[in-house]
Amino acid sequence: MIKTYTLLCLCLLIFVTVNAQTPNQYYPNSFKFYQKLDNTLYNSGTRLHTSMRPFFIDDSVLARPVDSLLNNGVDTSRKTWVSRKLFNEHLLQVNNADYTVYADFLPDFMIGKDFTGKKTTWLNTRGFQAGGSIGKKFSFYTSGYENQASAPDYYRDYASSIEVVPGQSRYRKPYEENLDWSYVTALISYTPIKYLNITVGQDKNFIGDGYRSMILSDFASNYPFLKLTAKLGNVQYTAMWAAMQDPGAPQVSYDAGNRRKGGVFHYLDWNVSKRLSLGFFDAVVWAQTDSLGNKRGFDWSYANPIIFLRPLEDMSGSPDNAAIGFTAKYKVLNKTALYGQFFLDEFVASDFFKKDGDFKNKWGLQLGLRGADLFNVTNLNYLAEFNTAKPYTYSERNRVLNYAHYNEPLAHPYGANFRETVGILSYSYKRFDVSAQFNYAKYGLDTDSLNYGKDIFKPYGTAVNKKGNFIGQGLTTNFYYGDIRTSFLINPKYNLRFELSFTTRTEKNAMENSKANFISFGLRSSFRNLYQDF
């Protein structure tokens, strides 16, 4: 598989180089990088679609600020090849009237100390990225990472329990102390007309304006997908079909491998005005085989990129898992936006309005405020966010149908049965960055193998109570997380930087008080999100 992937990437690079402005340039979804665009994204003078990520930057109003970030402090007087490649340019960079191509080596080397676990932590990653374009309609991007790490105990325990490195891929040797995994992405983008973009790839997708997403996040591992994005006036419409897996479900046979599942997602983002945006979302997840190994063919009614899925799924009597969602954003001030999401997994009107805690009424909610230039300080960006989900949200009658991929949630990393508050503050000055983050959450863990609703991989039919459910039920747990980091940017083209960070984490309930305090320093690169706040 790896050899085939490498050969494909090599052929693609050769094809671009010999065949001959970059259309729809792809930038991986990185919260820290995207937050630097807040003064443009949430400016009351712009009318941008901000909630479908990652972005493809074309000739829109975003092109200039992105170009500014990628040329941050570039010294054009550097003349030696070594100094240009180290501080200013991609390792390989070709700009032609008919095509462009670039490639970089991506080191990610960290050394640190886990004071609680009393051990040395480290990260040893060797990666690459390559991208380019042909003409004005075709572009591509690929990246790959080979990783080994010694992580804090809580992080390693989580990875070992699900045999997946969080948001990355399979934990190759879960019985060993150190983590070992690989991670690849690949995307091809084609824009036949200015109103339509077609993307095929293996990557993550994110819907929303917040740090978290209650609808579709980038926390789980990447997956293959086909995505169509159409723009007409102030409306952007996305239809996506994805292929996912559930390694934790019982296999039908060794030869069949992991249980497979499919997903189709529709999202319409409407910029009603320069201040107000509304979004409408629906999704269906289905199992490709039943527990006996019987294969199910693709339901071609889901191939329709326009139809609203929930009524279709209900009308056809389908056994699949359907959900709907809504998003909203309002720019209350210049460079300041109030945003929110609502995810509805299941709805029984007669019980919903009774407020009797029926386990069948499953929903998630997000409210947040974010913006740029706080207190009129340039590049001082902020975010304050609240997230919550009722018990059993995102779960299904069997785990293969749940709203998850590769043993991790497709939405919020905590699953369900939680409340969370997040605060993030970041400041940039030339090549220096400083950020601080604080999370507080309250959730209910399972005890004595009882299903209180946080673990979305447990069937909701095993709910402890049919009525009287409430957020935080079970083993009530308080979670605290704090992270402070500072960095110096060496090369903005691929985010090569020296970074120093300190992280503290506490998970406390009546049965245990788990703590982690660790410090890390290293040479880092790439724009990918590596979540630790769970």
Side-chain angles (χ1 to χ4, degrees):
M1 178 67 181
I2 295 178
K3 291 182 179 179
T4 303
Y5 174 81
T6 304
L7 181 61
L8 177 63
C9 293
L10 182 60
C11 292
L12 185 57
L13 276 171
I14 294 173
F15 175 75
V16 171
T17 304
V18 300
N19 278 274
Q21 11 256 322
T22 301
N24 294 316
Q25 184 62 56
Y26 166 86
Y27 292 99
N29 182 37
S30 164
F31 178 82
K32 294 186 182 301
F33 179 75
Y34 281 20
Q35 191 179 34
K36 294 179 180 181
L37 299 171
D38 280 5
N39 55 4
T40 300
L41 295 173
Y42 303 110
N43 192 304
S44 59
T46 64
R47 199 166 181 168
L48 298 169
H49 297 285
T50 61
S51 57
M52 188 73 205
R53 308 183 183 204
F55 292 152
F56 283 87
I57 310 299
D58 50 21
D59 57 355
S60 70
V61 69
L62 267 181
R64 180 171 294 181
V66 168
D67 183 68
S68 176
L69 288 175
L70 296 178
N71 290 282
N72 182 6
V74 167
D75 184 356
T76 56
S77 65
R78 298 183 189 274
K79 295 184 179 181
T80 67
W81 184 89
V82 173
S83 64
R84 293 200 319 271
K85 296 303 176 183
L86 183 60
F87 298 105
N88 296 354
E89 299 177 357
H90 294 290
L91 182 61
L92 169 65
Q93 185 169 312
V94 178
N95 293 308
N96 188 284
D98 298 318
Y99 67 89
T100 67
V101 63
Y102 66 89
D104 296 297
F105 170 67
L106 302 179
D108 207 348
F109 305 133
M110 299 285 289
I111 187 73
K113 180 70 174 180
D114 179 1
F115 299 106
T116 307
K118 298 181 179 180
K119 68 176 183 180
T120 300
T121 61
W122 47 267
L123 173 65
N124 179 5
T125 294
R126 293 83 61 208
F128 76 91
Q129 71 170 3
S133 64
I134 299 175
K136 297 182 178 181
K137 296 184 177 181
F138 176 85
S139 64
F140 78 94
Y141 177 85
T142 183
S143 65
Y145 305 88
E146 186 64 29
N147 317 264
Q148 290 79 39
S150 173
D153 290 342
Y154 84 93
Y155 193 95
R156 186 209 171 273
D157 291 345
Y158 175 88
S160 180
S161 67
I162 64 172
E163 298 188 7
V164 174
V165 178
Q168 297 296 292
S169 65
R170 181 173 63 90
Y171 180 2
R172 288 185 181 133
K173 301 174 182 178
Y175 47 85
E176 294 188 358
E177 178 66 22
N178 294 332
L179 304 176
D180 187 352
W181 77 100
S182 60
Y183 181 79
V184 294
T185 66
L187 287 148
I188 296 175
S189 171
Y190 179 58
T191 307
I193 57 176
K194 66 178 181 178
Y195 305 108
L196 176 66
N197 174 262
I198 304 170
T199 302
V200 179
Q202 172 147 327
D203 198 9
K204 304 180 181 187
N205 293 273
F206 186 99
I207 294 178
D209 286 281
Y211 174 69
R212 308 287 200 192
S213 177
M214 305 301 292
I215 288 179
L216 182 63
S217 78
D218 61 346
F219 180 70
S221 302
N222 58 12
Y223 43 84
F225 64 87
L226 165 65
K227 181 165 63 176
L228 308 180
T229 304
K231 293 182 181 180
L232 185 61
N234 295 311
V235 174
Q236 176 178 281
Y237 182 77
T238 301
M240 182 174 70
W241 298 264
M244 295 174 284
Q245 303 181 38
D246 187 354
Q251 292 186 358
V252 176
S253 68
Y254 177 81
D255 292 336
N258 295 334
R259 295 286 297 278
R260 306 283 172 166
K261 58 201 293 186
V264 55
F265 308 86
H266 295 159
Y267 181 62
L268 186 149
D269 186 35
W270 176 29
N271 286 335
V272 182
S273 68
K274 286 187 176 181
R275 290 188 179 270
L276 176 64
S277 296
L278 300 175
F280 306 90
F281 170 85
D282 62 16
V284 169
V285 175
W286 69 89
Q288 295 184 359
T289 58
D290 62 23
S291 59
L292 300 177
N294 299 314
K295 291 186 177 181
R296 173 189 170 186
F298 179 73
D299 188 338
W300 287 100
S301 59
Y302 295 155
N304 190 322
I306 299 175
I307 196 165
F308 200 50
L309 291 171
R310 186 62 194 247
L312 170 67
E313 183 265 351
D314 185 61
M315 183 172 56
S316 63
S318 169
D320 301 330
N321 176 18
I324 61 175
F326 306 94
T327 68
K329 174 189 68 182
Y330 186 77
K331 299 173 186 175
V332 291
L333 298 170
N334 187 33
K335 303 181 184 179
T336 300
L338 181 69
Y339 62 90
Q341 294 184 340
F342 183 70
F343 181 90
L344 187 58
D345 195 5
E346 195 167 342
F347 175 75
V348 180
S350 58
D351 294 318
F352 187 87
F353 296 104
K354 287 182 180 178
K355 298 182 180 180
D356 59 358
D358 191 291
F359 80 107
K360 295 190 296 294
N361 284 307
K362 303 179 294 181
W363 50 263
L365 177 70
Q366 177 186 88
L367 292 173
L369 181 73
R370 69 180 301 171
D373 301 348
L374 184 64
F375 305 127
N376 292 321
V377 177
T378 303
N379 297 327
L380 180 58
N381 300 326
Y382 61 94
L383 176 144
E385 183 175 292
F386 171 76
N387 302 293
T388 185
K390 284 196 63 180
Y392 311 107
T393 305
Y394 308 108
S395 65
E396 257 298 325
R397 59 187 179 278
N398 66 69
R399 64 169 290 156
V400 181
L401 284 173
N402 72 344
Y403 201 69
H405 163 62
Y406 224 81
N407 289 350
E408 292 185 291
L410 280 171
H412 198 288
Y414 298 167
N417 190 19
F418 71 89
R419 291 191 181 96
E420 178 198 39
T421 301
V422 182
I424 300 175
L425 194 65
S426 68
Y427 176 67
S428 299
Y429 177 73
K430 295 184 178 180
R431 293 198 177 205
F432 289 94
D433 287 317
V434 180
S435 66
Q437 176 180 341
F438 176 76
N439 300 40
Y440 168 71
K442 184 175 182 179
Y443 45 77
L445 298 175
D446 293 340
T447 57
D448 300 324
S449 300
L450 298 176
N451 182 9
Y452 284 100
K454 183 179 187 297
D455 187 350
I456 69 172
F457 293 92
K458 293 182 177 179
Y460 62 65
T462 62
V464 172
N465 302 305
K466 304 302 181 184
K467 303 284 185 181
N469 293 284
F470 59 92
I471 295 172
Q473 65 183 12
L475 180 60
T476 302
T477 303
N478 291 296
F479 174 87
Y480 305 89
Y481 177 90
D483 181 272
I484 298 174
R485 61 188 61 216
T486 182
S487 64
F488 176 77
L489 188 63
I490 302 172
N491 191 320
K493 295 295 187 181
Y494 51 101
N495 204 20
L496 181 67
R497 64 199 185 276
F498 287 116
E499 184 175 277
L500 173 67
S501 67
F502 173 75
T503 303
T504 180
R505 176 189 183 274
T506 299
E507 189 176 25
K508 184 177 182 180
N509 55 46
M511 298 180 63
E512 65 174 337
N513 185 4
S514 173
K515 294 186 177 183
N517 298 289
F518 52 97
I519 190 170
S520 298
F521 174 76
L523 177 68
R524 314 203 65 182
S525 62
S526 87
F527 297 98
R528 59 182 177 159
N529 285 328
L530 293 174
Y531 292 104
Q532 299 180 134
D533 53 343
F534 54 85

